[in-house]
């Protein structure tokens, strides 16, 4: 990479192209907003961009509930700002992952959630949750999957010396950070990048592709159509 962009927004990137209209399948009824449940463990910038995309009418959805596991995280203040109920399910209070996931499913059902968005949910989920929402759980991950799975994807990319990394929105399967890929965006790694600077530029792209992917799903785009895009 020879150019060194000075700001995150000027970084070149490659985003999966939009899906052509002829590959889109409308779900019914066409105009009812999709009911989202968002799960977050940290600062919630991805929660924020989804809420903003809904407000800007770029996404026909409504956020029913935020589920979070770490008390005091910034995502909660964001939920309050947007008038979204925030429910704490602290993983430290549950003996087994399955017990936490059972509680999560209960809350998602209580709030009549249709699609689940793991937006920085830093816990491994189990079939208890995955099977309760088959093909309806998506995750955003800060690498070009299948490279660099796990909680330290940005650091791993730097250690590996790759010149390009990025982010991925994918459907969730029991194996961590696997599952059909919906949308990806590429981000160049610069020679002077730290994990922080690289992650910041990756997040700029996350904030574009996560609302984009949800909007496509909400519009009824099928997995087959994502594959062909
Ligand atoms: C994102 O980088 C996402 O890819 C990863 O966790 C981070 C969450 O960021 N899974 P935020 O809390 O949405 O700002």
């Amino acid at each position: 990479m020879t150019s060194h962009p000075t700001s995150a927004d000027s970084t070149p990137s490659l985003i999966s192209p939009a899906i052509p209209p002829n590959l889109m399948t409308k779900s019914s009824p066409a105009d009812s907003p999709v009911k989202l449940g968002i799960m977050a463990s940290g600062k919630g910038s991805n929660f924020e961009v989804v809420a903003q995309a809904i407000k800007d009418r770029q996404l026909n959805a409504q956020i029913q509930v935020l589920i979070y596991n770490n008390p005091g995280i910034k995502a909660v203040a964001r939920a309050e700002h947007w008038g979204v109920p925030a429910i704490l399910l602290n993983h430290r209070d549950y003996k087994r992952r399955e017990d936490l996931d059972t509680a999560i499913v209960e809350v998602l059902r209580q709030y009549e959630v249709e699609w689940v968005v793991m937006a920085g949910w830093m816990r491994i989920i189990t079939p208890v949750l995955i099977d309760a929402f088959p093909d309806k759980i998506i995750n955003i991950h800060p690498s070009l999957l299948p490279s660099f799975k796990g909680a330290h994807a940005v650091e791993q990319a730097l250690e590996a010396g790759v010149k390009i990394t990025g982010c991925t929105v994918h459907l969730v399967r029991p194996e961590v950070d696997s599952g059909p890929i919906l949308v990806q965006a590429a981000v160049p790694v610069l020679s002077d990048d730290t994990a922080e600077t690289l992650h910041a530029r990756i997040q700029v792209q996350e904030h574009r592709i996560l609302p984009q992917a949800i909007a496509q799903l909400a519009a009824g785009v099928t997995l087959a159509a994502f594959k062909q895009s």
Side-chain angles (χ1 to χ4, degrees):
M1 216 37 68
T2 50
S3 65
H4 280 229
T6 50
S7 77
D9 285 327
S10 64
T11 303
S13 72
L14 175 67
I15 307 226
S16 318
I19 290 168
N22 63 328
L23 287 176
M24 290 177 50
T25 308
K26 284 276 177 195
S27 54
S28 62
D31 290 326
S32 44
V34 165
K35 295 175 181 174
L36 303 176
I38 298 191
M39 296 164 57
S41 298
K43 82 180 166 185
S45 65
N46 281 290
F47 172 94
E48 184 80 20
V49 293
V50 172
Q52 189 65 49
I54 293 169
K55 187 183 175 206
D56 294 344
R57 297 179 182 272
Q58 292 162 357
L59 169 54
N60 186 22
Q62 58 194 43
I63 306 174
Q64 304 287 101
V65 64
L66 169 74
I67 294 176
Y68 67 105
N69 64 315
N70 291 323
I73 59 171
K74 194 169 174 190
V76 176
R78 295 184 195 271
E80 277 167 15
H81 168 80
W82 287 98
V84 171
I87 306 292
L88 173 64
L89 295 177
N90 190 331
H91 61 276
R92 299 160 191 90
D93 297 338
Y94 299 85
K95 226 178 189 170
R96 303 177 316 142
R97 292 189 194 280
E98 287 80 2
D99 299 334
L100 171 63
D101 284 359
T102 299
I104 292 172
V105 170
E106 274 171 24
V107 170
L108 293 171
R109 294 231 187 282
Q110 186 189 341
Y111 283 88
E112 300 180 341
V113 165
E114 295 168 313
W115 278 89
V116 182
V117 181
M118 292 169 59
W121 179 256
M122 302 306 284
R123 306 294 304 168
I124 293 171
I125 67 167
T126 71
V128 168
L129 174 51
I130 295 170
D131 294 346
F133 291 87
D135 278 352
K136 296 276 188 191
I137 306 178
I138 66 170
N139 182 45
I140 175 90
H141 182 76
S143 77
L144 290 176
L145 291 173
S147 293
F148 311 129
K149 298 176 176 180
H152 305 288
V154 180
E155 291 83 354
Q156 284 181 58
L158 282 175
E159 278 161 26
V162 295
K163 302 297 183 194
I164 294 175
T165 184
C167 48
T168 303
V169 180
H170 64 98
L171 286 182
V172 171
R173 294 286 185 265
E175 193 191 325
V176 173
D177 296 327
S178 67
I181 289 168
L182 303 178
V183 186
Q184 291 187 307
V187 175
V189 180
L190 307 180
S191 56
D192 55 356
D193 260 333
T194 63
E196 289 69 33
T197 59
L198 179 55
H199 193 199
R201 289 202 318 288
I202 290 171
Q203 287 224 282
V204 172
Q205 299 309 322
E206 290 184 349
H207 297 163
R208 295 171 67 175
I209 68 170
L210 183 60
Q212 178 195 327
I214 300 170
Q216 289 172 327
L217 292 167
V221 171
T222 61
L223 190 51
F226 273 106
K227 275 188 187 154
Q228 289 177 57
S229 66

